[in-house]
Amino acid sequence: MSDVLIIGGGPSGLTTAIYAAKRGYHVTILEKNKNCLKKLLITGNGHCNYWNEDQNNIHYHTTNKSILSSILPDTLKEEALSFIHSIGIVPRIKNGYYYPYSNQATSMKEALLTEALRLGVKIQTEENVIKVEKVNNIFSITTESNTYQGSYLVLATGSKAYPKTGSDGSGYQLSQMLGHTIIAPHPSLVQLEGSEKYAKDWNGVRADVKVSLYENHKKIKEETGEIQLTEYGVSGICIFNLSREIAIHKDELNYDIKINFTPWVNTKEELDAWFQDREKTLKGRTFEQMLEGFLNYKIIHVIAKRMYITPQYAWHQMTQNRKIELYQWLLSYPIRIINTKSFDQAQVCSGGVDLNEVNLETLESKKVKGLYFVGELLDVDGDCGGYNLGFAWMSGIKVGKHIGE
């Protein structure tokens, strides 16, 4: 029998285990995969973006945002960064994004496992939990081949995003077995499917843009960054950060995005002045030649099609009305969003264990004494850029420090 049983060997589970073991508890992790931290290895395209220096709570989301400050106090954020340093990770910081200096996610994996094993944490892999119950103040965990018992139970199973890594949503069922409510999960940080007629013509293009999200024709959010144009729709970090609301409300609300391909200006008047300066030095140019100095030729050809002209159309023939039409396409290219990609492509999920049923100071269940939740299983998700791993560290620290109190 263990003091603490943790179901899930991801970042939040390992962090919880390390902190609980430091307090002298005997800790056992039950992991369904052959190895722990499978999903961690693909974060940040294998480079592991584990933190972001901008820790404003605006980057974290839940059904009830007013309680986020109770879960994520500034002191906890400071301790999370110190924890990563304490296990040997040297940061490489780029534009506020933290990576291991090795630029490899394996460095983070080995650092976590080394520290956990040094502290005596037992890790049981290929243990798929099928039942949890509490009998006579003891948690009994049944897997497909064994039974485990412990005084405290931590659910660190993750959500149902990217199930190939083992995040199949089983933690929701385990939570419900113990009487908890699940806020319906939806894909988050995921690609968007659009209805753009000419999408195949610009498939594969990447561009630095400003993207605005409209809900029922009202602008609700804006992101700046790299976008990837695809034959099904749009992708990229700025798109991921817009996807959450769409996934939750797409069945009852209409969504559009508008892309500004010239994000250094915001109005038609500013863009017209910019082109007037450009015309002074670029003489005898075609439509394509006036645009190709800053815009991918595939995007140029799509816009030309939308304006019913050829890319070889002479620029001097462009009337002011035609230029204003061009400015509209450049500043606010519209795409109707019809769906998001599925859980299979999502980095995380919105939704999860209802925070109203959890002690916000300790993340202990209000329904079952000795039961705790960490990481993506909770109804908390972050923006793209190290925030979801950030929450994994912080929730793991919070639980590991407060188990048994």
Side-chain angles (χ1 to χ4, degrees):
M1 177 171 164
S2 296
D3 296 324
V4 181
L5 291 173
I6 300 175
I7 302 177
S12 61
L14 263 295
T15 304
T16 306
I18 289 168
Y19 268 79
K22 284 180 179 179
R23 298 186 65 215
Y25 285 111
H26 297 289
V27 182
T28 299
I29 293 175
L30 305 178
E31 167 58 46
K32 71 188 302 181
N33 291 322
K34 290 183 178 180
N35 298 289
C36 292
L37 300 164
K38 185 175 181 179
K39 190 174 181 180
L40 176 76
L41 292 178
I42 62 173
T43 59
N45 292 320
H47 304 305
C48 191
N49 174 203
Y50 68 83
W51 190 254
N52 197 298
E53 67 181 17
D54 177 11
Q55 282 296 317
N56 190 305
N57 282 353
I58 195 173
H59 297 292
Y60 295 92
H61 312 283
T62 184
T63 303
N64 184 359
K65 280 199 170 187
S66 64
I67 62 178
L68 270 177
S69 59
S70 300
I71 303 175
L72 303 173
D74 290 340
T75 53
L76 182 60
K77 295 170 183 177
E78 293 167 4
E79 185 170 358
L81 202 52
S82 297
F83 164 66
I84 298 301
H85 178 73
S86 75
I87 61 174
I89 295 298
V90 176
R92 180 192 297 272
I93 307 172
K94 183 178 180 180
N95 299 325
Y97 293 63
Y98 282 62
Y99 303 86
Y101 203 81
S102 66
N103 216 27
Q104 293 181 302
T106 51
S107 296
M108 182 66 76
K109 174 185 175 181
E110 294 305 319
L112 288 165
L113 290 175
T114 298
E115 181 69 357
L117 295 173
R118 183 186 72 82
L119 293 167
V121 175
K122 293 182 180 179
I123 300 176
Q124 304 289 342
T125 58
E126 297 185 271
E127 287 285 28
N128 185 30
V129 176
I130 56 177
K131 184 179 179 182
V132 294
E133 57 183 341
K134 188 177 184 182
V135 181
N136 297 326
N137 293 323
I138 299 297
F139 288 97
S140 180
I141 312 301
T142 304
T143 70
E144 292 176 345
S145 55
N146 294 294
T147 298
Y148 297 86
Q149 292 185 323
S151 301
Y152 304 100
L153 174 62
V154 181
L155 295 185
T157 58
S159 60
K160 58 189 296 186
Y162 213 69
K164 291 179 181 179
T165 61
S167 298
D168 58 2
S170 59
Y172 301 140
Q173 285 73 47
L174 299 180
S175 302
Q176 289 172 322
M177 286 181 191
L178 294 165
H180 275 270
T181 304
I182 303 299
I183 303 297
H186 295 89
S188 189
L189 301 187
V190 68
Q191 304 92 334
L192 301 179
E193 296 181 353
S195 59
E196 172 56 46
K197 181 179 178 181
Y198 302 101
K200 290 184 179 180
D201 294 338
W202 63 20
N203 182 41
V205 170
R206 295 175 182 268
D208 290 321
V209 301
K210 184 184 294 181
V211 186
S212 301
L213 175 63
Y214 289 78
E215 181 181 86
N216 285 351
H217 308 295
K218 180 181 178 181
K219 183 177 176 179
I220 61 170
K221 195 171 182 180
E222 184 176 272
E223 291 281 335
T224 300
E226 185 182 77
I227 192 174
Q228 182 177 353
L229 303 167
T230 71
E231 61 182 351
Y232 62 78
V234 285
S235 182
I237 291 177
C238 59
I239 293 299
F240 293 163
N241 287 338
L242 297 175
S243 64
R244 185 181 193 273
E245 295 301 316
I246 298 171
I248 295 173
H249 301 296
K250 61 182 173 60
D251 291 334
E252 64 264 19
L253 300 171
N254 294 317
Y255 288 95
D256 302 89
I257 63 167
K258 294 184 179 180
I259 306 170
N260 181 353
F261 288 111
T262 54
W264 56 89
V265 296
N266 295 302
T267 67
K268 294 176 185 177
E269 291 75 19
E270 291 174 337
L271 194 53
D272 186 46
W274 187 83
F275 266 104
Q276 287 182 33
D277 287 339
R278 191 169 175 80
E279 290 171 0
K280 293 175 183 178
T281 55
L282 301 179
K283 305 295 185 181
R285 300 303 203 267
T286 64
F287 179 89
E288 181 178 56
Q289 290 166 344
M290 283 294 291
L291 301 179
E292 64 185 357
F294 65 92
L295 203 59
N296 185 285
Y297 77 93
K298 287 187 177 181
I299 299 175
I300 298 171
H301 286 211
V302 167
I303 292 176
K305 282 186 178 180
R306 301 302 297 266
M307 294 181 65
Y308 299 100
I309 60 175
T310 69
Q312 289 72 43
Y313 189 85
W315 184 260
H316 70 83
Q317 292 183 328
M318 293 278 289
T319 64
Q320 188 62 20
N321 285 340
R322 299 245 65 186
K323 289 178 182 178
I324 291 173
E325 182 184 356
L326 169 63
Y327 303 155
Q328 181 66 31
W329 290 113
L330 291 174
L331 290 167
S332 189
Y333 192 102
I335 298 178
R336 169 59 59 89
I337 302 302
I338 57 176
N339 207 343
T340 68
K341 285 293 187 180
S342 69
F343 291 109
D344 291 342
Q345 285 79 42
Q347 293 185 20
V348 296
C349 291
S350 64
V353 173
D354 190 341
L355 295 182
N356 292 312
E357 299 174 355
V358 175
N359 183 321
L360 301 181
E361 299 299 321
T362 64
L363 300 184
E364 182 179 13
S365 167
K366 292 179 180 178
K367 292 174 172 283
V368 182
K369 186 174 177 58
L371 170 66
Y372 297 82
F373 305 92
V374 292
E376 288 185 38
L377 182 59
L378 288 160
D379 179 27
V380 178
D381 57 287
D383 287 343
C384 195
Y387 295 103
N388 290 288
L389 274 179
F391 183 67
W393 315 132
M394 289 187 283
S395 59
I397 291 169
K398 186 185 283 277
V399 170
K401 290 176 67 175
H402 292 287
I403 280 178
E405 292 187 359

